[in-house]
Amino acid sequence: MAATAGQISSSLFRDQSCSGSIKSSSSSATSTCSIVSFSSSPSKLLNTNNLSIKSLETKRGHKSSTICSAVILESNSDQMELDITLSPRVNAVKPSKTVAITDQATALVEAGVPVIRLAAGEPDFDTPAVIVEAGINAIREGYTRYTPNAGTFELRTAICKKLKEENGLSYTPDQVVVSNGAKQSILQAVLAVCSPGDEVIIPAPFWVSYPEMARLADATPVILPASISENFLLDPKLLESKLTEKSRLLILCSPSNPTGSVYPKKLLEEIARVVAKHPRLLVLSDEIYEHIIYKPAVHTSFASLPGMWERTLTVNGFSKAFAMTGWRLGYIAGPKHFVAACNKIQSQSTSGASSISQKAAVAALGMGYAGGEAVAHMVKAFRERRDFLVSAFGELDGVKISEPQGAFYLFLDFSYYYGSEVDGFGLIKDSESLCRYFLEQGQVALVPGDAFGDDTCIRISYAASLNTLQAAAERIKKAILALKPPVSV
């Protein structure tokens, strides 16, 4: 029998810091979470005759919780404990809530529940045919071996040409590293330039992975909130007030995930003037959505601003604009000193990206300025979807909207409905409980704003067909009508 949305929603929105559970036999155990789950007989997994689990303990150290556990292996009269403790660095990191929700919403659909999935940041279009053919030809022609760690010279040269013609940035191939997605490019950059105790400045709302990447580098994420009234754009004065001698990296994302906001050139110039006063401060400019932008908005690369090339690491890729999410290909460009450090990390982790994907990427960059007609067609569809959703949700009482200028996300302020009581559901107190309500009552999967650093909002991805978005909007509206907003006294 198929599961219902309500039956799984608690697992969908629970604390994702635990991958499983072990019940302790001791009532005095202090742990609230465990990190071990056996899907089959433990004795088979560990190849021993007898096995028992000790109760878990939680220890404090290195500014984060260390989860300690032991598996006792019993063989005849001898007893040995196997330490299965995880690194404090790993325990400090939260799993991606967008990935978790997307995966579990997919599982719901596969179980027969008609959930509309608007959580993933993935275009619903097929990869353009010319790119697909380039990948197929690469396989047929035997282009299936390792490439240079930093990427093929052919692709890095094509990237340099694109950056010069479209972004006004001058790089040489040895100042570019191609990786398995822009996410890897960002992580390697953070690891390369941050030392323990450094601060990574992150405007909120932010992409869910930025703070966790900072923590993986033993750096401290410093979150600077931006309001919906300011279109979720960073205030240069706030930035200036928060910078210290520990400030090492400022991360900017334009067009933004999750808000769709685009930084005007004038505002970026104001930010650049603040950055210029701090010799230790570098900037990571995440430009993965640069081609998904709606006129009159215009994209500006931060490295193109006066004095910023030397301190900017520009990250981009092929997943979003070219609908190549599964091809896993991104890149970073910047001063050779920093890029070489990223290349070193990659050489000791994943090594080079897929040879087949790199051939496909060369074809993508050959489609014309900003991706040519194929990308323009996708952007036109995204804009139509955005316009529909802005109009549809603009009809709802209390919902605040900042109209996206790029990307394919709508970040809506639903806090007007917090405090509502729903018969058979309970209290809606925050973005997580509201999204759980939409899943149970409307069977629409969305992402709570708290994952992005703003609990007043929820994120809707409109990387879905217009028909799907129309059905989702109706379900959400119907669920909203059942709410009774709290009365102010």
Side-chain angles (χ1 to χ4, degrees), residues 126-131 158 161-163 165-167 288-293 316-318 320-324 331 360-380:
D126 291 334
T127 303
V130 65
I131 301 174
K161 181 174 183 289
K162 171 259 186 286
L163 290 171
E165 294 178 354
E166 296 183 3
N167 306 89
I288 190 69
Y289 294 95
E290 72 161 319
H291 290 327
I292 305 175
I293 197 165
N316 210 321
F318 300 87
K320 310 300 182 180
F322 296 101
M324 294 177 65
Y331 59 87
V362 172
L365 294 178
M367 289 169 56
Y369 189 90
E373 291 184 9
V375 173
H377 171 75
M378 289 187 271
V379 173
K380 181 176 182 291

Side-chain angles (χ1 to χ4, degrees), residues 445-467:
L446 309 171
V447 186
D450 66 344
F452 307 99
D454 188 339
D455 195 35
T456 65
C457 297
I458 61 174
R459 192 191 78 172
I460 299 175
S461 169
Y462 49 90
S465 72
L466 188 57
N467 287 340

Side-chain angles (χ1 to χ4, degrees), residues 97-299:
K97 187 168 287 189
T98 55
V99 172
I101 292 174
T102 299
D103 287 350
Q104 295 201 39
T106 299
L108 266 179
V109 172
E110 293 174 349
V113 181
V115 171
I116 296 177
R117 294 167 287 179
L118 301 181
E122 180 173 34
D124 58 313
F125 297 98
D126 291 334
T127 303
V130 65
I131 301 174
V132 173
E133 286 301 317
I136 293 172
N137 289 337
I139 297 172
R140 287 174 175 162
E141 294 169 6
Y143 198 77
T144 56
R145 300 186 181 276
Y146 292 137
T147 71
N149 183 71
T152 64
F153 185 77
E154 178 187 31
L155 177 54
R156 287 181 287 132
T157 300
I159 290 170
C160 290
K161 181 174 183 289
K162 171 259 186 286
L163 290 171
K164 180 66 175 178
E165 294 178 354
E166 296 183 3
N167 306 89
L169 301 174
S170 295
Y171 294 103
T172 54
D174 61 352
Q175 294 172 322
V176 175
V177 171
V178 177
S179 301
N180 300 280
K183 179 179 282 189
Q184 181 180 1
S185 299
I186 297 170
L187 175 60
Q188 289 176 170
V190 175
L191 292 173
V193 304
C194 291
S195 302
D198 279 347
E199 294 176 346
V200 178
I201 313 300
I202 305 171
F206 47 73
W207 181 46
V208 295
S209 295
Y210 294 148
E212 309 314 317
M213 289 176 174
R215 293 185 178 100
L216 282 172
D218 288 332
T220 302
V222 176
I223 309 303
L224 303 186
S227 68
I228 192 170
S229 62
E230 298 297 327
N231 295 318
F232 298 114
L233 298 172
L234 175 64
D235 182 350
K237 293 180 181 178
L238 176 62
L239 172 65
E240 189 163 24
S241 71
K242 297 298 182 179
L243 293 177
T244 71
E245 66 280 358
K246 294 182 179 180
S247 302
R248 180 55 172 163
L249 187 65
L250 167 65
I251 299 181
L252 295 175
C253 181
S254 179
S256 165
N257 175 7
T259 67
S261 300
V262 174
Y263 278 83
K265 185 176 182 179
K266 183 178 179 181
L267 180 56
L268 289 177
E269 289 173 339
E270 292 181 38
I271 293 172
R273 284 192 285 271
V274 174
V275 170
K277 299 176 184 179
H278 298 265
R280 283 200 76 231
L281 186 60
L282 306 176
V283 177
L284 190 148
S285 183
D286 183 351
E287 303 180 10
I288 190 69
Y289 294 95
E290 72 161 319
H291 290 327
I292 305 175
I293 197 165
Y294 314 121
K295 294 179 181 180
V298 176
H299 174 72

Side-chain angles (χ1 to χ4, degrees), residues 10-32:
S10 60
S11 66
L12 180 60
F13 293 96
R14 71 188 175 192
D15 183 354
Q16 294 291 327
S17 64
C18 301
S19 61
S21 64
I22 301 174
K23 292 185 178 179
S24 170
S25 60
S26 170
S27 59
S28 61
T30 59
S31 175
T32 59

Side-chain angles (χ1 to χ4, degrees), residues 431-447:
S431 62
E432 188 165 300
S433 54
L434 180 61
C435 284
R436 182 161 51 86
Y437 171 71
F438 285 145
L439 178 64
E440 291 188 13
Q441 301 299 316
Q443 296 183 335
V444 180
L446 309 171
V447 186

